[in-house]
Amino acid sequence: MPSKRSQPYPKPSRAAALPVLFLILFCFAGTAAARGDITRAELLQKLSKAQRGKPANLVEIRLRNADLHGVDFKGANLRGADFKGSNLSGADFSGSNLDLAVLSQSDLRRADLSGASLYGTVLVRSDLSGANLSGSHLVANMSEANLDGANLSGAMAGANMSNQSMALIRTSLKYATLVGADLKNIKLSFCDGRFANFVNADLQGANLSTCDLRQANFSGSDLKGANFSKAKLAGASFEGVKNRDAMVGLDSADGVKEAKFD
């Protein structure tokens, strides 16, 4: 009988390895394996051939620094696509699959991403002001992004803690600005929101439990029913917030004494 030392280690399953790949792509924007280069004309041709019930398959296409403003990507499969630095203002991504896509440093002003899937998507330093992300699945890296006036109501942006491996990927809003944004009923648990600017945002019913919100600015925001259970709040500003008495979970939050209240 072979000793325990001589027994081979079990090979990791694909399911176990997949979250590790997600994490690598999520943390290192634009450093993934080579994608399929495509021209703007070729892209528009593929989109024009898409049929009802059979959206365009544009998996891992690469088209950086392109002018794609107003393009209709509705329902398209754009998993792993690379649009870094592109003008996507006013584009329609509603219901599309943008998992693992790279959209960093892109212009997404007033873009429609409602109901889209953005799992592991990279939106670092992108301009999403006025964009519609309502009802989206948004576990994305939005560090230093501009989300002023954006609609994120009902978005599912919290980490999946029921799956230990998938829980490695969490939404990042570090240094992001969300002035006047609509975040009603957003699920944002376990996020990194350090130094984020939520001034005058609507956070009614938002779930911010276990988020790292140190040094974040919530001044003037509406926090009726907002859940801060087990969140880190040291240095955060809550001056002039609306419905302060209706905030939830402050008794279990960390750093409340170091936060700024009126």
Side-chain angles (χ1 to χ4, degrees), residues 177-222:
T177 174
L178 300 101
V179 175
D182 183 350
L183 296 110
K184 289 193 297 290
N185 300 312
I186 190 173
K187 303 295 187 293
L188 199 55
S189 55
F190 294 92
C191 75
D192 182 354
R194 287 174 291 170
F195 300 95
N197 186 353
F198 295 96
V199 168
N200 296 327
D202 188 344
L203 286 144
Q204 295 183 73
N207 184 358
L208 298 157
S209 60
T210 324
C211 284
D212 189 344
L213 298 165
R214 287 174 292 176
Q215 304 295 330
N217 189 353
F218 291 91
S219 299
S221 59
D222 193 338

Side-chain angles (χ1 to χ4, degrees), residues 123-140:
L123 290 155
V124 176
R125 300 192 191 95
S126 289
D127 188 349
L128 291 130
S129 55
N132 182 4
L133 295 113
S134 61
S136 61
H137 291 264
L138 187 61
V139 184

